[in-house]
Amino acid sequence: MTPAEAQQRIAELRAEVARHDELYYRRAKPEVTDFDYDQLKEQLAALERQFPDVAGALGVDTPTARVGDDRTEGFARVKHRQAMTTLDNTYDEAELREFHARLAKALGSEDLAYTVEPKIDGVAVSLTYERGVLTRAVTRGDGEEGDDVTVNVRTIHGLPTKLAGAPLPEVIEIRGEIFLREEEFRRINQLQEEAGEAPYANPRNLAAGTLKQLDPKLVGSRRLEIVLYGLGVCEPAVVDSQTGYHTQLKAWGLPVVERIWSVRGVDAICAAVQELDQVRRSFAYGTDGAVVKLDSFDQQRHPKIGFRGMGADGKAEAARKLSPRWACAFKFAPDRAETRVRDITIQVGRTGAMTPVAELEPVFLAGTTVKRATLHNADEIARKDVRIGDAVLVEKAGEIIPAVVAVLVEKRPGDSVPYAFPRHCPVCATVAVRGEGEVVWRCPNPHCPEKVRRRVEHFASKAGVDIEGLGEEMVALLLEKGLIKTIPDIFRVKVEDLLPLKKSGEVWAGNLVAGIDARRTADLWRVINGLGIPQVGAAAAKDLARTFRSLDALAVATEAELLRVDGFGEKTAAAVLAWFSESTNRQLLQDLRAAGMSPTPPIAASGALAGKIFVITGTLPTLSREEATAKIEAAGGKASGSVSKKTHYVLAGEEAGSKLEKARTLGVPVIDEAEFLRMVG
Ligand code: IVH
């Protein structure tokens, strides 16, 4: 490779890795597997090492010299007392041996003590305990400064807010990983799909997405869990080894990994790693490897060990510490299998989104038979050049939805042609459109039968008005028989229309019609949610119902009024305005009314705090957070997770941090518990 070629490739790889960092760390929606990501990053690092001058000339801004930044809007930023570093991953046992050889040389001994621990596939956080009390929880962020997620972390099941027993350091940063169990992941994804939203690909992404929710109530409704293993600042020091630290964490009552291995020498490391691979599937969390650590803290701090803090020129040890050389992360290669793409089909969603799916020759992989894999979107197909007839590798690495990770080009049939993403909707043949800056192609035809089917299904589903007996199959049948064409037609179905559909179906037909009838007065928020307005899920639908109290009022809401709704930003407001400005949607509302639909508005908030939005921060003298929230809601108010211009009061207790500062900056009144209790009477 010439330096000019290297320059171009390094620039390309930097942009690509940075894009995947954004997708993984900030949006929790990665498009490639961890394995592919690791390989891309390693390619980039190798080129930067090989062409240090070229890399240096391109600037120091490279993903290999920073940790993936997870900071997002809506959270206060907090500096870590001690930087939160990370580790590069290796898949190669030889590198484990090199890791040991380097340490043995630096410390002048082969006989070194290590721990081998499961590498948890979760989201890293740092908890600060001061004199034994949990005061802060912060994400890794850029390693120096992360997002304050204390409110959300306090909802975590099994995390004590007080350490049990001595010794209690003045201040300690305890680090670990937040995760979701597989059962919980499945439960939430099911709800997600019922609400018409894209399912999360794996438990890690869902845990990351949940931790960054602005509504602590939603976070509390998902059972996040945590395990702790790492140490930041600790004043004064209370332990001197990783093994001792693990024991101390347990003694404090904190959740830790089921098992760590204390070993000496490199052969024992490799044996422990293999043993871990045998037992890891029984753990509560997903594991993607092993982390090997030098056990003694004195040895970890030995000046000859140091950190990797590579500058972009590949030579300079930058001031930033990226990853310590006393630890090494070894990853297990993911479960992969080879199969063939029989066909590529297009799924049309409720909003018209056209999602390509690889129809595969069935293959057994990690315990299940895989027949289909998502191909995400047209750009992804083009990037991987997936063709019908191709031999491909599919992978499930903790992922529930399998992904096509690579095409085996050498096995490609001679007559294959690149896949041409359809320019038309496969169902109604309307020309597909793609919004500016969007990756998704959509069918724009509001009458597309597939969109209609999915819309009706959604309206009738548990996330919508919840009509008993009107599930997917029944919706399809009623549409097929021409008994309904649109959502409002549901309310015109009569028993006699249904009778010919089933033999001796009187009881069934009567029940279905009664079920439909009962939902003419469904809660307003369910109707709003059932309409499938982009950007509006259950929480936003509830806020809209509370604020506008009827579909008619909502239909004429102005942008300014929508922006006043708690939690609404410009994007959501614009989506609502756009939906109600479409003539087919206005017709739909009129038809619903004509068909006798009359949604029930929420019980008007009366009470002393009617319509008032509160944010609680810090520890209150007598009330727990849950008790204060209950009092606010009982008095007709709402407890929100983040301070904005829409907040009416910030209720602050001891150790209130960034939210208090934000309230002061925005001029939001701050009250204490005594004043709050006077307000609620
Ligand atoms: S120790 C200096 N131990 O994996 C960083 N990390 O690839 C020391 N992780 O950033 C990290 N399980 O977020 C450590 N038992 C474990 C871990 C673990 C998961 C994560 C962590 C780290 C990354 C390293």
Side-chain angles (χ1 to χ4, degrees):
M1 192 181 270
T2 66
E5 284 163 352
Q7 179 174 358
Q8 184 174 355
R9 189 70 192 124
I10 290 174
E12 278 167 12
L13 282 169
R14 282 184 180 184
E16 202 173 342
V17 174
R19 189 172 80 84
H20 292 306
D21 276 342
E22 165 79 19
L23 287 168
Y24 181 90
Y25 289 104
R26 282 223 173 87
R27 297 203 222 155
K29 297 252 157 98
E31 284 175 4
V32 294
T33 64
D34 289 6
F35 187 69
D36 286 349
Y37 169 84
D38 287 336
Q39 285 195 326
L40 271 182
K41 197 162 170 186
E42 181 45 38
Q43 253 185 51
L44 172 58
L47 278 178
E48 287 177 340
R49 281 194 299 268
Q50 198 187 339
F51 295 95
D53 298 336
V54 172
L58 280 171
V60 291
D61 185 24
T62 172
T64 56
R66 54 176 186 246
V67 308
D69 192 348
D70 67 46
R71 292 172 302 172
T72 49
E73 282 295 301
F75 291 91
R77 300 195 166 169
V78 179
K79 261 203 164 353
H80 297 295
R81 285 182 161 89
Q82 181 176 308
M84 230 176 139
T85 51
T86 183
L87 299 169
D88 291 337
N89 299 318
T90 176
Y91 291 84
D92 186 356
E93 203 180 284
E95 284 190 34
L96 271 182
R97 292 184 179 273
E98 280 166 30
F99 159 76
H100 167 72
R102 233 182 3 251
L103 295 183
K105 188 165 170 225
L107 297 169
S109 163
E110 276 292 322
D111 184 32
L112 296 174
Y114 295 96
T115 63
V116 175
E117 305 174 7
K119 180 165 150 47
I120 302 116
D121 192 14
V123 189
V125 278
S126 180
L127 310 179
T128 304
Y129 282 83
E130 291 175 69
R131 274 158 271 126
V133 178
L134 175 67
T135 52
R136 273 272 160 86
V138 185
T139 64
R140 176 163 27 223
D142 67 351
E144 302 285 330
E145 178 190 83
D147 279 347
D148 183 342
V149 288
T150 315
V151 187
N152 291 348
V153 166
R154 282 183 193 279
T155 69
I156 293 180
H157 188 78
L159 176 67
T161 52
K162 286 206 173 89
L163 301 180
L168 291 179
E170 275 301 299
V171 53
I172 181 170
E173 287 175 317
I174 301 179
R175 276 134 191 204
E177 213 81 5
I178 290 181
F179 67 94
L180 280 169
R181 280 175 199 256
E182 178 137 353
E183 308 91 84
E184 181 65 355
F185 165 74
R186 286 182 192 280
R187 182 187 72 82
I188 300 165
N189 247 0
Q190 171 112 34
L191 294 175
Q192 187 84 0
E193 281 188 273
E194 278 168 11
E197 305 196 11
Y200 285 84
N202 60 48
R204 190 261 162 208
N205 298 340
L206 181 52
T210 302
L211 189 63
K212 289 300 188 79
Q213 292 289 329
L214 292 171
D215 178 1
K217 262 193 273 172
L218 183 135
V219 181
S221 73
R222 301 176 176 177
R223 258 175 93 102
L224 287 175
E225 293 179 60
I226 193 169
V227 271
L228 299 155
Y229 52 75
L231 183 60
V233 131
C234 181
E235 291 163 5
V238 292
V239 284
D240 61 5
S241 71
Q242 183 63 20
T243 323
Y245 183 53
H246 178 75
T247 309
Q248 183 61 61
L249 288 172
K250 266 197 287 192
W252 278 328
L254 294 169
V256 292
V257 292
E258 282 92 334
R259 181 145 178 216
I260 70 170
W261 284 255
S262 296
V263 299
R264 299 190 88 91
V266 71
D267 291 330
I269 291 180
C270 294
V273 169
Q274 276 175 18
E275 201 181 329
L276 168 62
D277 193 17
Q278 297 304 310
V279 297
R280 67 193 174 102
R281 287 177 186 82
S282 68
F283 296 160
Y285 35 80
T287 48
D288 52 358
V291 181
V292 184
K293 300 173 187 174
L294 199 51
D295 194 27
S296 149
F297 286 177
D298 271 348
Q299 287 184 339
Q300 288 182 6
R301 283 189 288 258
H302 192 284
K304 279 199 181 153
I305 307 285
F307 288 82
R308 185 181 78 84
M310 196 188 80
D313 62 2
K315 284 184 288 196
E317 287 290 316
R320 281 289 288 283
K321 291 172 178 170
L322 277 181
S323 53
R325 295 194 196 275
W326 51 258
C328 179
F330 175 85
K331 278 187 128 178
F332 300 119
D335 293 317
R336 289 186 162 188
E338 186 183 329
T339 183
R340 205 165 272 281
V341 178
R342 282 181 174 166
D343 197 4
I344 295 176
T345 55
I346 304 287
Q347 255 178 20
V348 181
R350 171 155 62 83
T351 60
M354 290 165 49
T355 306
V357 176
E359 307 286 346
L360 305 168
E361 258 160 40
V363 60
F364 197 70
L365 174 62
T368 54
T369 302
V370 174
K371 294 189 201 124
R372 310 180 85 203
T374 175
L375 291 167
H376 300 291
N377 54 54
D379 290 359
E380 271 301 295
I381 299 186
R383 194 178 67 78
K384 295 194 182 120
D385 188 17
V386 183
R387 305 179 182 190
I388 295 170
D390 268 347
V392 291
L393 288 180
V394 285
E395 176 178 313
K396 257 172 59 172
E399 275 93 332
I400 304 305
I401 304 167
V404 169
V405 290
V407 173
L408 303 172
V409 181
E410 65 282 6
K411 295 192 178 174
R412 172 170 280 167
D415 58 353
S416 89
V417 288
Y419 178 72
F421 198 85
R423 290 289 175 261
H424 296 88
C425 169
V427 181
C428 69
T430 304
V431 176
V433 294
R434 168 142 131 164
E436 213 177 288
E438 276 202 44
V439 288
V440 179
W441 285 93
R442 289 178 200 276
C443 166
N445 171 13
H447 307 292
C448 169
E450 184 64 5
K451 283 168 72 175
V452 170
R453 185 178 73 77
R454 295 206 176 233
R455 281 204 300 258
V456 175
E457 220 171 65
H458 173 67
F459 184 83
S461 75
K462 287 209 161 49
V465 301
D466 192 12
I467 299 175
E468 202 168 329
L470 195 52
E472 269 179 46
E473 275 176 38
M474 192 50 59
V475 167
L477 184 66
L478 297 185
L479 284 165
E480 186 199 312
K481 298 290 176 198
L483 290 177
I484 59 172
K485 289 199 170 60
T486 62
I487 291 172
D489 293 340
I490 298 173
F491 294 100
R492 300 196 185 97
V493 172
K494 295 196 224 28
V495 173
E496 51 272 32
D497 300 334
L498 297 173
L499 288 178
L501 300 186
K502 271 197 190 180
K503 260 192 233 149
S504 21
E506 289 85 0
V507 175
W508 159 77
N511 284 347
L512 181 55
V513 170
I516 293 171
D517 230 16
R519 290 293 182 261
R520 275 183 217 282
T521 53
D523 287 337
L524 177 60
W525 76 265
R526 292 190 163 277
V527 181
I528 297 173
N529 199 27
L531 293 174
I533 303 167
Q535 308 287 332
V536 175
K542 285 180 187 172
D543 286 331
L544 287 173
R546 212 178 297 118
T547 311
F548 296 99
R549 310 192 53 76
S550 77
L551 285 175
D552 292 339
L554 175 58
V556 297
T558 63
E559 186 182 11
E561 285 168 337
L562 288 166
L563 284 172
R564 279 201 290 275
V565 177
D566 184 36
F568 270 51
E570 271 163 29
K571 205 168 152 194
T572 326
V576 174
L577 281 178
W579 196 89
F580 282 98
S581 70
E582 245 178 62
S583 61
T584 38
N585 294 333
R586 283 211 298 269
Q587 186 65 46
L588 170 73
L589 295 177
Q590 218 174 342
D591 293 347
L592 272 176
R593 202 179 311 120
M597 173 114 217
S598 164
T600 309
I603 297 165
S606 49
L609 306 183
K612 296 284 184 266
I613 299 167
F614 284 74
V615 172
I616 311 170
T617 176
T619 313
L620 302 173
T622 69
L623 294 174
S624 73
R625 215 165 261 265
E626 293 72 32
E627 286 162 347
T629 304
K631 281 190 187 297
I632 292 169
E633 287 175 354
K638 180 181 159 170
S640 176
S642 58
V643 181
S644 73
K645 280 183 284 189
K646 291 165 199 157
T647 313
H648 292 101
Y649 298 98
V650 167
L651 169 53
E654 287 251 337
E655 320 249 17
S658 51
K659 290 192 183 156
L660 187 57
E661 283 157 35
K662 187 146 181 210
R664 298 218 164 105
T665 326
L666 294 176
V668 174
V670 177
I671 54 170
D672 63 7
E673 187 186 280
E675 189 169 350
F676 170 70
L677 290 171
R678 272 196 296 280
M679 285 169 85
V680 292

